[in-house]
Amino acid sequence: MYPIFSAIHVLTSRDLCRPRLACLRFKTSKFRASAPLSLTLTDTTALPPCQEARPHSCACKNARNMPIQAKIGPSILNADLANLAAESQKLLDNGADYLHLDVMDGTFVPNLTFGHPMVKCLRNNIKKAFFETHMMVQNPEQWIAPMADAGVNLYTFHVEPVEDVCKVTRLIQEAGMKVGLAIKPGTKVQEIEKYIDIADLVLVMTVEPGFGGQSFMADMMPKVEWLRTNYPNLDIEVDGGVGPKTIDCCAKAGANWIVSGTAVVGAADQRQVIGDMRDVVKRYLK
Ligand code: DX5
Ligand code: ZN
């Protein structure tokens, strides 16, 4: 056990990039769970202050050496929630790449939607689709375990009310989910710069979170441009007022994960709208 501790200690004492550190923590926490150790790894699992972002080159699960892809994720917020499973399946059958599930707690935003029990029911009906929960909640840490249990793949939370973003990120990863960092229109993208290397995706809100059907805020595009320029392989998501009329602007700025609510859910031909938007994003990815 001592050599393991020493190796980890030496590694963390050196200049490890944070994603590697996150992976290491993930592995050591698994190790601790499966083997009774007389030696605690407190020194190595204690989070150092987040460092400045740096190029990410390790082969851990966060590695960003894969080419980014165009993904369209309908928001079911304005769908018929009484028929959520059927509405969601219809969107997937019409080509949606993932489902964007808007979770609101009535505190972080002035609206209330649904929580993990409903997500779990949806998962029981839809086994294979990729689920993102957009956590518009005051305390995202509180919902990590139940959302993981409900079968969520990507847990995207707002950084604004969170004191320790590194800790929440680590807990999400340890629960087996990917991590998205979301920012409201009033939050500068530089405020999350130091966390980008430990996340899987950044969500730039293009409306004030809380309600579907609002007007797209084109003045958020410089944030997307800045992210794409500085993080060519980062998954960048936009959410709010995105549809056929605004997709070009988002894609041109560099967004590749596209949330679209009313424009898709209310479309006469969902397949056409989803396909057209994905084509626009693909065109700019080339
Ligand atoms: C707003 C939500 C969005 C929204 C998207 O707070 O996070 O996901 O419902 O819907 P549209 O595309 O209608 O703005
Ligand atoms: Zn959303």
Side-chain angles (χ1 to χ4, degrees), residues 75 77 100 102 104 134 136 205 207-214 239-242 259-262:
S75 156
L77 185 60
H100 177 90
D102 288 304
M104 304 184 191
H134 176 192
M136 288 164 273
M205 287 303 296
V207 296
E208 283 299 336
F211 300 92
Q214 301 181 75
D239 178 16
V242 182
V259 178
S260 184
T262 41

Side-chain angles (χ1 to χ4, degrees), residues 49-265:
C50 280
Q51 298 158 4
E52 289 305 307
R54 64 182 68 185
H56 179 194
S57 59
C58 78
C60 71
K61 69 180 189 140
N62 279 342
R64 295 206 192 99
N65 46 16
M66 299 285 288
I68 56 168
Q69 295 179 323
K71 305 247 186 209
I72 309 297
S75 156
I76 48 83
L77 185 60
N78 282 7
D80 178 2
L81 295 181
N83 290 311
L84 185 56
E87 293 266 343
S88 300
Q89 191 59 58
K90 184 178 166 198
L91 290 160
L92 292 163
D93 292 344
N94 282 325
D97 295 292
Y98 66 105
L99 291 179
H100 177 90
L101 307 172
D102 288 304
V103 176
M104 304 184 191
D105 67 353
T107 301
F108 180 68
V109 289
N111 197 5
L112 198 58
T113 54
F114 49 81
H116 53 92
M118 194 143 131
V119 176
K120 193 168 186 172
C121 291
L122 190 61
R123 176 55 86 198
N124 285 337
N125 276 267
I126 298 176
K127 304 285 184 205
K128 286 196 181 144
F130 189 97
F131 284 5
E132 174 191 34
T133 45
H134 176 192
M135 304 301 296
M136 288 164 273
V137 300
Q138 195 63 26
N139 183 7
E141 189 178 330
Q142 186 177 357
W143 311 112
I144 293 171
M147 283 301 184
D149 177 63
V152 169
N153 304 98
L154 167 63
Y155 190 95
T156 299
F157 68 97
H158 276 268
V159 298
E160 291 87 358
V162 175
E163 243 176 59
D164 192 340
V165 172
C166 289
K167 181 185 170 201
V168 174
T169 297
R170 176 172 55 86
L171 292 174
I172 295 166
Q173 288 167 340
E174 286 179 356
M177 297 181 287
K178 288 178 180 286
V179 179
L181 302 176
I183 52 172
K184 296 206 284 187
T187 305
K188 290 191 174 68
V189 72
Q190 287 78 11
E191 288 178 36
I192 55 160
E193 185 177 359
K194 61 188 169 203
Y195 309 120
I196 292 174
D197 266 349
I198 58 171
D200 296 288
L201 169 147
V202 171
L203 164 55
V204 175
M205 287 303 296
T206 44
V207 296
E208 283 299 336
F211 300 92
Q214 301 181 75
S215 297
F216 176 76
M217 297 169 72
D219 54 342
M220 295 298 115
M221 290 306 100
K223 293 186 191 181
V224 177
E225 282 162 15
W226 185 90
L227 284 166
R228 181 54 71 223
T229 302
N230 289 284
Y231 298 89
N233 297 321
L234 176 67
D235 283 321
I236 304 172
E237 186 177 50
V238 284
D239 178 16
V242 182
K245 289 182 186 151
T246 50
I247 187 64
D248 196 80
C249 181
C250 299
K252 191 176 178 187
N256 66 310
W257 281 51
I258 309 298
V259 178
S260 184
T262 41
V264 169
V265 170

Side-chain angles (χ1 to χ4, degrees), residues 1 4-5 8 21-47 167 170-171 174-175:
M1 289 170 209
I4 292 170
F5 174 78
I8 293 169
L21 205 53
C23 290
L24 194 58
R25 279 199 300 269
F26 186 62
K27 284 172 189 155
T28 54
S29 66
K30 272 179 155 177
F31 181 74
R32 277 187 297 161
S34 59
L37 278 179
S38 56
L39 181 64
T40 67
L41 297 177
T42 314
D43 286 352
T44 59
T45 53
L47 286 167
K167 181 185 170 201
R170 176 172 55 86
L171 292 174
E174 286 179 356

